[in-house]
Amino acid sequence: MSDLTCDVLVVGGGPGGYPAAIRAGQLGLDTIIVDKDGWGGTCLNRGCIPSKAFIHAADKFAEMRHHAYSPALGISLSAAPELDMKGLVAWKDEIVGKLTGGVEQLLKAAGVNAISGWAEFEDAKTCTVTLEDGSTRKITARNVILATGSVEVELPFLPFGGKVIGSTGALDLDTLPEKLVVVGGGYIGLELGIAYRKLGSEVTFVEALDRILPVYDKELTRPITRWLKDNGVTVHTSSKAKGLVEDGGKTFLEYENPKGETERLEADNVLVAVGRKPLIKGWGLEKMGIPNDGKFIQVNERCETGMRGVYALGDLTGEPLLAHRATAQGERVAEIIAGHKTAFDPVAIAAVCFTEPEVVGVGFTPDEAKEQGETVITGKFPLAANGRYLSMEGGADGGFVRITARESDHVILGIHAVGKHVSELSGEFALAMEMGARLEDIAGTVHVHPTLTEGLAEAALAALGHPIHISAPKR
Ligand code: FAD
Ligand code: NAD
């Protein structure tokens, strides 16, 4: 087959790579994108989207079960719902198929040459792609965008296979595990562990640190801890997984408790969710002359690596491993290659964990702001005082919106929330930070009633000392 040349070669078709390719195509650059595993990468095929579909299905099932066993809102069901795991997985796969097919169409519409295969570099600008039929194609590019993403971390003493699954396996189970042990109480463990609990599994967590979801402060994770407790989920913190043992025809996860003693938990499946690592091996990075620390590729705000004309983005470039960060980098890199004066330099990147209840954060927590030498004021608004929240059956879960601002000029340094559906507030939170908003800007923006967004305005008012829907000290 003939060799190919192009202005831009993108390796990796995830939420970092495919928007980079689409934007490059829009800008008139002759662009090729290569991916082996399906357009949309981890995010669309085995990450963000399938996990959120799975969580939605679990929510629906739990809600229906609730109405069957204890009628509420004047609604009862005469029989409990039945779960067909294969049906759930098939529905999730349908959504994945629609979105990945959509990405392929978008690439085509932008004039991008999308090639399915594995790329391996022989120098910084040349790679050989092995196609599905085993044939190869050499591609030489003037600019290269590396977007190879990340893979699940495997524990050497708990290798994936059989009853030990990672997030990919957890999204494809044929049968519901009666007993699920989750190793790792971070993003993936909590999102999927909670979903499995809602589907009816008995779920137990083993977390190495002294609390779950350590990226958020304790005030934010308290409502999640409470939900886990109220729903019979046991969390073993300061505990380390050790390995699997078979005994009497049953499988057990052995772990070391905080006292250093070995204990065991029976498990039909063990979900190992102890992090993800950038994919830096298996595609010739070592032949490209790009400086790296063996863990991820370091880039500047233009996503430039140490090699001229070679850019990297997304999970490959380290924390935070988030799809929207990868996408924003991808768009900027294409524009930079097209000669635009731009950079990837956000004030802050919002993150959401789709737990029960959800938690969202952007910018500094009060403690982090203080560590940065700031003197801060905070405002907290309990969502139990928000009409929309109550009308959506919220209110009893301890949800709130919290705003952190610099005391001297009221510039907002961070916004956090925990509660049902608060993920949908993340856009306004991020916008406020990006626009350099002050408390008065948020409090002075007319927020629609009844919506959860009123909770942000009230948190700003609370920081200013005069909230309307909670009592404030008289001034
Ligand atoms: P990836 O999406 O990993 O894509 C990289 C692509 O490159 C892959 O398709 C891979 O096959 C391909 N590739 C690699 N090397 C080569 C090669 N040599 N040749 C050809 N192709 C190659 N993030 C969020 O923001 N929100 C969420 O809700 C969320 N939920 C998640 C849930 C789960 C279960 C998981 C696992 C992750 C989740 N994430 C979430 C993280 C998110 O998926 C990643 O941050 C995001 O996918 C990173 O995008 P990327 O483009 O850098 O890499
Ligand atoms: P994580 O870093 O969020 O959590 C891993 C947890 O495992 C940590 O709490 C850690 O202390 C614990 N751990 C590590 N080794 C252990 C051991 N031997 N025994 C017990 N516990 C152990 O990682 P993750 O949950 O695998 O997720 C990976 C990344 O994917 C996240 O960092 C996140 O960026 C991304 N992600 C994002 C979302 C989202 O945005 N909603 C959802 C899923 C994943």
Side-chain angles (χ1 to χ4, degrees):
M1 264 189 208
S2 57
D3 292 351
L4 296 169
T5 56
C6 59
D7 292 330
V8 181
L9 166 66
V10 184
V11 175
Y18 83 74
I22 290 173
R23 188 74 187 109
Q26 287 172 348
L27 290 163
L29 297 165
D30 176 22
T31 305
I32 297 176
I33 185 167
V34 181
D35 195 303
K36 181 168 181 288
D37 277 343
W39 307 112
T42 304
C43 174
L44 261 57
N45 290 282
R46 52 194 169 276
C48 326
I49 298 299
S51 64
K52 268 78 245 181
F54 199 87
I55 288 166
H56 175 75
D59 278 351
K60 195 154 197 161
F61 182 73
E63 213 167 279
M64 289 172 84
R65 218 157 59 155
H66 179 69
H67 283 273
Y69 292 120
S70 43
L73 335 179
I75 301 171
S76 60
L77 286 175
S78 52
E82 281 177 26
L83 178 67
D84 165 17
M85 276 297 277
K86 284 187 186 152
L88 191 166
V89 169
W91 172 74
K92 177 264 296 174
D93 287 344
E94 216 176 287
I95 292 167
V96 169
K98 272 187 200 153
L99 290 170
T100 54
V103 169
E104 196 168 2
Q105 292 301 318
L106 290 170
L107 287 165
K108 210 170 156 190
V112 176
N113 181 2
I115 299 177
S116 295
W118 184 258
E120 198 157 346
F121 284 86
E122 51 202 65
D123 62 45
K125 301 287 177 70
T126 316
C127 76
T128 298
V129 179
T130 306
L131 306 180
E132 274 156 8
D133 63 6
S135 63
T136 57
R137 261 186 172 201
K138 191 178 250 195
I139 303 176
T140 305
R142 277 177 281 284
N143 297 281
V144 170
I145 301 175
L146 299 171
T148 60
S150 63
V151 290
E152 297 175 48
V153 169
E154 191 169 29
L155 293 174
F157 47 86
L158 269 177
F160 296 129
K163 292 185 173 174
V164 181
I165 53 175
S167 55
T168 307
L171 291 166
D172 270 329
L173 286 182
D174 273 357
T175 50
L176 186 75
E178 229 171 87
K179 292 174 194 292
L180 176 70
V181 176
V182 183
V183 179
Y187 271 84
I188 293 176
L190 279 166
E191 286 189 1
L192 296 182
I194 287 174
Y196 269 101
R197 180 69 197 119
K198 289 184 179 177
L199 290 173
S201 297
E202 189 183 310
V203 177
T204 310
F205 282 88
V206 174
E207 163 59 48
L209 298 180
D210 62 358
R211 63 194 194 84
I212 55 157
L213 216 51
V215 287
Y216 296 99
D217 62 46
K218 272 190 189 155
E219 188 175 40
L220 283 161
T221 55
R222 201 168 292 130
I224 303 168
T225 306
R226 199 163 93 187
W227 187 93
L228 293 170
K229 200 170 165 219
D230 290 350
N231 286 274
V233 177
T234 309
V235 181
H236 298 285
T237 50
S238 306
S239 297
K240 287 190 205 101
K242 287 177 71 176
L244 277 198
V245 287
E246 300 287 335
D247 193 353
K250 291 180 176 168
T251 305
F252 297 85
L253 175 90
E254 281 197 335
Y255 71 96
E256 191 184 295
N257 73 15
K259 293 182 199 149
E261 299 154 351
T262 298
E263 296 200 54
R264 36 164 76 176
L265 294 163
E266 193 186 336
D268 297 307
N269 281 110
V270 176
L271 165 57
V272 177
V274 294
R276 292 181 62 81
K277 57 177 183 185
L279 179 58
I280 56 163
K281 291 201 174 113
W283 47 267
L285 173 61
E286 61 288 352
K287 297 182 189 149
M288 298 179 78
I290 297 173
N292 69 86
D293 63 359
K295 291 187 184 130
F296 60 90
I297 296 182
Q298 245 169 346
V299 289
N300 60 18
E301 77 286 352
R302 288 165 56 85
C303 293
E304 290 165 327
T305 65
M307 172 63 69
R308 186 186 288 264
V310 180
Y311 302 81
L313 51 81
D315 285 7
L316 174 64
T317 58
E319 295 283 347
L321 310 184
L322 295 171
H324 41 289
R325 175 230 192 195
T327 298
Q329 286 180 315
E331 290 173 54
R332 292 300 80 74
V333 171
E335 288 163 358
I336 287 164
I337 292 173
H340 295 198
K341 285 204 181 339
T342 185
F344 175 71
D345 187 21
V347 173
I349 299 172
V352 170
C353 195
F354 295 81
T355 35
E356 182 63 60
E358 294 174 346
V359 56
V360 49
V362 57
F364 294 130
T365 63
D367 285 345
E368 286 166 351
K370 284 175 204 157
E371 279 164 26
Q372 298 292 317
E374 301 280 4
T375 303
V376 299
I377 51 173
T378 59
K380 191 172 147 186
F381 182 74
L383 287 166
N386 176 280
R388 178 70 174 144
Y389 204 60
L390 294 194
S391 73
M392 295 194 299
E393 291 179 86
D397 58 7
F400 62 86
V401 181
R402 185 184 70 199
I403 200 161
T404 305
R406 192 182 293 130
E407 187 184 39
S408 57
D409 57 10
H410 294 182
V411 167
I412 295 166
L413 302 173
I415 314 176
H416 294 79
V418 56
K420 273 179 192 296
H421 313 293
V422 294
S423 55
E424 294 301 332
L425 300 179
S426 58
E428 187 180 357
F429 291 5
L431 187 65
M433 296 285 299
E434 203 56 48
M435 303 297 285
R438 293 162 196 261
L439 293 171
E440 290 80 355
D441 296 320
I442 299 298
T445 300
V446 181
H447 286 79
V448 174
H449 177 73
T451 64
L452 298 188
T453 68
E454 292 170 287
L456 176 63
E458 286 280 3
L461 287 170
L464 293 168
H466 49 91
I468 298 297
H469 291 94
I470 48 172
S471 50
K474 284 223 164 58
R475 297 195 162 193

